């Protein structure tokens, strides 16, 4: 079945960097964009950006632009998200999700499914 | 575009009907509006795509409707496992995702 499996929890100090991985299985990896979303403790969902495994094209949210880099490794069907210059407010659960959709004569359709299990990042001195 | 969900919390009993609202700050394509369910300690999961299409494996007690700026998620008869937080999600232009702040359905 279609599955996204993320790397394990991380604890980092302020100013450090972290790289979270998201390994895809059960579908053609290069056919779907992968999005990254985070959720601070007790808060809602925040989109961080996306990457096309086919082209390497990326788009980042303004809030993390300049500190985030998303990459892919097509040999292992893995997407990576690196976040640098970590701050305490980067502490959150980070999720990857497959961006799926299509266009037909009736219109265009888009959704995020499935989601990875999440990776907890704790930034603390 | 901002998505505003209401109410913030919905207190209901098993067997009751739940009606959750998601309002967009401007008219949107219903094809880009979805609903997610998140239980404590779990990742979000897709319930409804394109405003009204149930994702694979989602029970038919979950229904979505709406157009323009107003969208609704209805749970016809709450089961114990339905008590969770529900988010609406929107795909936007330039390509990006926006989420509502969530509605908690509690017992």
């Amino acid at each position: 079945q279609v599955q996204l499996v993320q790397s394990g929890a991380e604890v980092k100090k302020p100013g450090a960097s972290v790289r979270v991985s998201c390994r895809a299985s059960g579908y053609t990896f290069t056919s779907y964009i992968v999005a990254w979303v985070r959720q601070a403790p007790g808060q809602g969902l925040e989109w961080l950006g996306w990457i096309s495994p086919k082209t390497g094209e990326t788009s980042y949210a303004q809030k993390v632009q300049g500190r985030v880099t998303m990459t892919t490794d097509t040999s292992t069907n893995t997407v990576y998200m690196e976040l640098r210059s970590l701050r305490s407010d980067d502490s959150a659960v980070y999720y990857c999700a497959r961006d799926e959709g299509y266009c037909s004569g009736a219109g265009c359709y888009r959704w995020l499914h499935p989601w990875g299990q999440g990776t907890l990042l704790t930034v603390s001195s | 575009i901002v998505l505003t969900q209401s109410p913030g919390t919905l207190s209901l009993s098993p067997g009751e009907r739940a009606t959750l609202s998601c309002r967009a700050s401007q008219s949107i394509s219903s094809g880009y509006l979805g609903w997610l369910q998140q239980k404590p300690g779990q990742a979000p999961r897709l319930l409804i795509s394109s405003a009204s299409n149930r994702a694979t494996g989602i029970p038919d007690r979950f229904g979505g409707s709406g157009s323009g700026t107003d969208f609704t998620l209805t749970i016809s008869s709450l089961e114990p496992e339905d008590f969770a937080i529900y988010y609406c999600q929107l795909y936007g232009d330039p390509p990006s995702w926006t989420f509502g702040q969530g509605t908690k359905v509690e017992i």
Side-chain angles (χ1 to χ4, degrees):
Chain A
Q1 75 281 21
V2 177
Q3 201 173 4
L4 299 175
V5 178
Q6 299 183 221
S7 50
E10 301 268 8
V11 179
K12 297 291 182 182
K13 294 190 183 303
S17 299
V18 69
R19 191 174 79 156
V20 180
S21 69
C22 169
R23 184 164 187 167
S25 61
Y27 70 96
T28 302
F29 179 62
T30 52
S31 294
Y32 296 89
I33 285 169
V34 174
W36 287 91
V37 175
R38 72 181 177 182
Q39 185 173 39
Q43 302 300 307
L45 302 167
E46 178 185 22
W47 173 77
L48 297 177
W50 56 258
I51 183 165
S52 165
K54 183 176 183 178
T55 65
E57 182 182 0
T58 56
S59 178
Y60 303 133
Q62 205 163 10
K63 188 173 182 180
V64 293
Q65 181 86 38
R67 294 199 298 131
V68 69
T69 301
M70 296 175 188
T71 56
T72 65
D73 181 346
T74 55
S75 68
T76 60
N77 289 357
T78 302
V79 174
Y80 298 95
M81 189 226 32
E82 181 185 37
L83 191 60
R84 301 176 293 278
S85 301
L86 290 170
R87 311 185 289 242
S88 58
D89 63 355
D90 290 319
S91 294
V93 178
Y94 288 73
Y95 297 101
C96 59
R98 190 178 75 166
D99 185 326
E100 188 172 356
Y102 67 94
C103 289
S104 70
C108 290
Y109 309 90
R110 208 71 177 241
W111 58 91
L112 291 173
H113 175 71
W115 292 59
Q117 85 277 18
T119 296
L120 176 63
L121 170 64
T122 302
V123 181
S124 174
S125 55
Chain B
I1 297 176
V2 177
L3 298 178
T4 301
Q5 293 187 239
S6 62
T9 301
L10 201 50
S11 299
L12 295 168
S13 300
E16 289 193 297
R17 182 183 187 89
T19 303
L20 288 67
S21 172
C22 176
R23 177 165 290 177
S25 57
Q26 63 189 71
S27 184
I28 62 173
S29 167
S30 59
Y32 292 160
L33 193 284
W35 290 90
L36 304 169
Q37 178 194 62
Q38 187 177 35
K39 297 180 181 179
Q42 296 185 18
R45 72 159 176 165
L46 182 70
L47 288 179
I48 300 285
S49 66
S50 308
S52 60
N53 296 333
R54 277 188 304 277
T56 302
I58 301 303
D60 61 6
R61 64 180 180 272
F62 291 93
S65 63
S67 64
T69 61
D70 293 312
F71 297 85
T72 300
L73 174 68
T74 302
I75 310 172
S76 59
S77 179
L78 282 163
E79 296 288 339
E81 62 267 28
D82 299 337
F83 292 92
I85 299 175
Y86 294 84
Y87 296 94
C88 51
Q89 65 174 40
L90 173 66
Y91 178 73
D93 182 26
S96 61
W97 288 92
T98 301
F99 301 92
Q101 81 278 21
T103 290
K104 182 178 182 180
V105 178
E106 65 176 22
I107 298 176

